[in-house]
Amino acid sequence: MPRRQGYALLIALVAGTAALAAAVAFAGSLLFTGDRATAAATTVPQGVARTPAAPAHSSGHWLATWAAAPVLGVADPAQAQDRSRRVIRNVVHTSIGGAEVRLTLSNLFGTAPLLIENVTVNTRPVTFRGASSVTVPPGRQTVSDAVAVPVDADADLVVTLRTPTADGPVTSHPNSHQTSYTEDGRGTWSTTQWRYLTAVDVRGGATAATATLVAFGDSLTAGTGSTTDANTRWPDLLADRLHGRYAVVNQGIGGNRLLRDRIGPRATDRFERDVLGISGVKTVVIALGINDVQLMPREADPERITGALRSLTQRAHARGLRVVGATLMPYRGARNWTAAGERVRERVNAEIRAGGIFDEVIDSDLSMRDPAQPQRLRAAYDSGDHLHLNDAGYARVAGLLDVDTLLGTRATTDAL
């Protein structure tokens, strides 16, 4: 189902009328009658390879069609006092298709066990070791059983789940640039957070994909400045170019840093979970460092930034991954620009271009900067804050990756 057609499914599932809400609740009671005992938590440490038992008829290997890096969040203020069970409808967008799906649900930042029940993918029931509910301990994640549901590339999926309460720490992904929904006894609210869902894997079907690319970055990867619900973040647009032949997942977090915790754990700490733990990962694109340069406390030593980038590459190589790295884009005119920060950015970029950090380099600085004012973004690509890109800018970034090289249809010695 193409991207635009996916909205028809979304409208049918999340129209905010009371009658539909009642119908969905009634249907859920029919789907999950019988044993509702909580399953033994099928949990694994965050980032460890996930290998739940597969149905005997299954074939192929799992690839991540979508993922979102977990971040500590809180419940919406409007729902903070509500103790009724609530429904969460996470709307996510696929990069490749398949015949079977499995979900990863996370309670990484929770302080108490998390009960999750009545999970569906496009209305198909999802189980956990055969049970319709699962309790995820704090700091852990769980992987569902495989569920037979056809999934198209470049399509929207609605992953619905129910949790008991709305208060307390929430494992979520904020600023998703995609509209999802929460619902309780009082009504339905739209949200741009994904909650508890951190990965959707697929296998089987007619997909030609054999591996996954992980885009690992900050807000410039997460898509700040892009149009909500248009799927114009650069990893989405790269997936469009690949036409389902290579899975692409977006592990960008707005405000994320290499060397310090800020929004989300520092990149050096989350790399194991958010890159190496992704199903089928073979290539990683690293686009990080600008927040270390421009956010307080600012990193004044470019060698600490390049050293951290080099260490990520070494860890990726130890798992057999190919690493593509991006230079840091210009940001003069942004609120946090300083001359000292500019000198750090330029020194980081010089070392990246010199080689020895990544296998291949995307020179996004050179491609995105204004030729007349190299310390600034081109106006045509600037979202308006002089730091983040607009849709045209993200399309330009997506176009910098050589698809033939990625797919192996061109010699891998060619520059990406």
Side-chain angles (χ1 to χ4, degrees):
M1 177 167 47
R3 172 188 300 156
R4 301 296 183 260
Q5 294 178 9
Y7 293 119
L9 171 64
L10 173 61
I11 292 168
L13 287 171
V14 300
T17 65
L20 179 60
V24 170
F26 177 69
S29 68
L30 292 178
L31 288 170
F32 294 97
T33 53
D35 182 11
R36 300 180 64 88
T38 300
T42 55
T43 54
V44 295
Q46 297 273 348
V48 173
R50 299 163 293 173
T51 55
H57 67 275
S58 297
S59 61
H61 58 283
W62 292 106
L63 299 175
T65 187
W66 173 91
V71 174
L72 173 63
V74 296
D76 291 335
Q79 301 183 69
Q81 302 305 314
D82 181 36
R83 296 298 190 270
S84 64
R85 296 182 187 274
R86 62 172 179 159
V87 174
I88 297 169
R89 304 188 193 283
N90 291 303
V91 180
V92 304
H93 197 74
T94 65
S95 60
I96 62 169
E100 290 184 297
V101 170
R102 70 178 183 184
L103 309 177
T104 300
L105 303 177
S106 177
N107 191 25
L108 176 62
F109 296 105
T111 56
L114 174 68
L115 172 64
I116 298 176
E117 56 189 3
N118 290 26
V119 183
T120 63
V121 176
N122 286 359
T123 74
R124 299 282 183 92
V126 178
T127 59
F128 302 84
R129 292 189 177 176
S132 61
S133 64
V134 65
T135 296
V136 188
R140 305 295 290 272
Q141 67 182 21
T142 188
V143 181
S144 76
D145 301 330
V147 55
V149 55
V151 173
D152 291 329
D154 191 24
D156 286 339
L157 290 180
V158 180
V159 177
T160 301
L161 56 91
R162 193 167 73 170
T163 59
T165 62
D167 60 343
V170 175
T171 300
S172 66
H173 183 92
N175 303 317
S176 67
H177 312 289
Q178 192 136 22
T179 304
S180 294
Y181 300 85
T182 62
E183 175 189 315
D184 61 21
R186 299 173 299 161
T188 300
W189 289 264
S190 63
T191 177
T192 54
Q193 290 188 51
W194 291 307
R195 289 174 172 81
Y196 305 121
L197 179 68
T198 57
V200 178
D201 298 342
V202 296
R203 68 177 174 188
T207 180
T210 59
T212 301
L213 178 147
V214 175
F216 188 61
D218 48 38
S219 56
L220 287 161
T221 297
T224 298
S226 66
T227 301
T228 298
D229 293 328
N231 300 304
T232 50
R233 317 162 193 86
W234 74 256
D236 297 312
L237 298 173
L238 174 61
D240 290 347
R241 294 183 62 214
L242 292 165
H243 301 294
R245 294 172 292 170
Y246 210 105
V248 180
V249 299
N250 187 336
Q251 294 288 60
I253 299 176
N256 198 231
R257 298 180 63 152
L258 269 169
L259 298 168
R260 292 178 182 269
D261 295 338
R262 191 173 183 269
I263 299 177
R266 71 193 74 183
T268 52
D269 287 350
R270 70 184 183 93
F271 190 75
E272 178 75 22
R273 177 188 63 245
D274 293 347
V275 176
L276 303 182
I278 293 297
S279 296
V281 61
K282 188 63 177 176
T283 302
V284 56
V285 178
I286 299 175
L288 282 159
I290 194 64
N291 286 333
D292 296 83
V293 171
Q294 62 108 10
L295 293 177
M296 295 292 292
R298 298 184 178 97
E299 179 53 62
D301 183 358
E303 293 300 323
R304 279 177 45 81
I305 295 173
T306 55
L309 294 172
R310 190 175 289 107
S311 73
L312 294 182
T313 296
Q314 292 168 349
R315 290 165 65 184
H317 284 170
R319 298 287 188 90
L321 273 59
R322 180 166 174 263
V323 183
V324 180
T327 53
L328 309 187
M329 283 185 266
Y331 71 109
R332 185 160 190 171
R335 180 178 57 183
N336 293 327
W337 186 90
T338 65
E342 179 63 24
R343 287 191 292 272
V344 172
R345 185 186 74 88
E346 291 177 358
R347 288 179 60 187
V348 168
N349 284 348
E351 189 164 349
I352 290 174
R353 292 185 182 108
I357 295 180
F358 304 118
D359 298 325
E360 304 290 346
V361 173
I362 298 172
D363 201 339
S364 50
D365 169 46
L366 180 62
S367 297
M368 309 306 292
R369 69 192 185 195
D370 184 339
Q373 304 177 84
Q375 296 178 350
R376 294 178 179 269
L377 289 172
R378 291 176 186 255
Y381 299 149
D382 191 341
S383 68
D385 65 4
H386 311 300
L387 173 65
H388 298 103
L389 306 178
N390 56 22
D391 291 347
Y394 288 121
R396 173 62 176 160
V397 172
L400 296 177
L401 283 96
D402 190 306
V403 168
D404 290 327
T405 300
L406 187 63
L407 295 172
T409 55
R410 177 176 297 168
T412 56
T413 54
D414 290 352
L416 190 64

